[in-house]
């Protein structure tokens, strides 16, 4: 059985909006590019046509990927979540014990992850290490760049 994907309501809505945009605007844009490329004639030497078909393949693959993900989504009821322990949906403030930097993250499902904007996946090394822990605890995360240690300073919804 396929693994369920845990998302916040906002995360599910983002995926649904992306899917709608790809199915409407994206498909129309690609169809227009193919139509223009076909007007150039001989397909054997038509790089515009090859590029448009490649773009169409990527678009359809992303549409299929999103549809498949949405079929396995479990939406978190964020009102039911506690702020006693870290779980998917938690916002955390942690202190990197190596350099003293204080970091703010929200733990999200992998499809919502955006580390540059403070959203880390529950499947990432740091996210996985934080899950199930409480304020005041120290956790270690085994990352590609080595073992990182963090103090958990705060947990919120």
């Amino acid at each position: 059985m396929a693994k369920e994907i845990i998302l916040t309501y906002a995360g599910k809505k983002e995926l649904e909006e992306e899917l709608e945009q790809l199915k409407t605007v994206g498909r129309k844009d690609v169809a227009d590019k193919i139509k223009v490329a076909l007007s150039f004639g001989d397909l054997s030497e038509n790089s515009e046509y090859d590029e448009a078909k490649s773009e169409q393949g990527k678009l359809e693959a992303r549409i299929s990927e999103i549809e498949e993900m949405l079929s396995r989504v479990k939406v978190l009821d964020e009102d039911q979540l506690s702020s006693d322990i870290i779980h998917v949906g938690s916002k955390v403030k942690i202190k990197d014990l190596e350099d003293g930097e204080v970091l703010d993250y929200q733990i999200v499902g992998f499809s919502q992850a955006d580390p540059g904007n403070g959203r880390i996946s529950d499947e990432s090394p740091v996210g996985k290490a934080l899950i199930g822990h409480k304020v005041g605890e120290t956790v270690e995360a085994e990352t590609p760049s080595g073992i990182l240690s963090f103090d958990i300073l705060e947990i919120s919804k």
Side-chain angles (χ1 to χ4, degrees), residues 16-27 29 59:
E16 290 169 340
E17 288 170 359
E18 180 184 353
L19 180 62
E20 183 63 25
Q21 194 276 338
L22 292 174
K23 283 182 162 183
T24 55
V25 177
R27 279 182 171 158
D29 288 349
L59 176 94

Side-chain angles (χ1 to χ4, degrees), residues 116-129:
N117 287 315
R119 295 180 355 187
I120 60 172
S121 166
D122 61 328
E123 296 178 19
S124 70
V126 174
K128 194 183 293 185

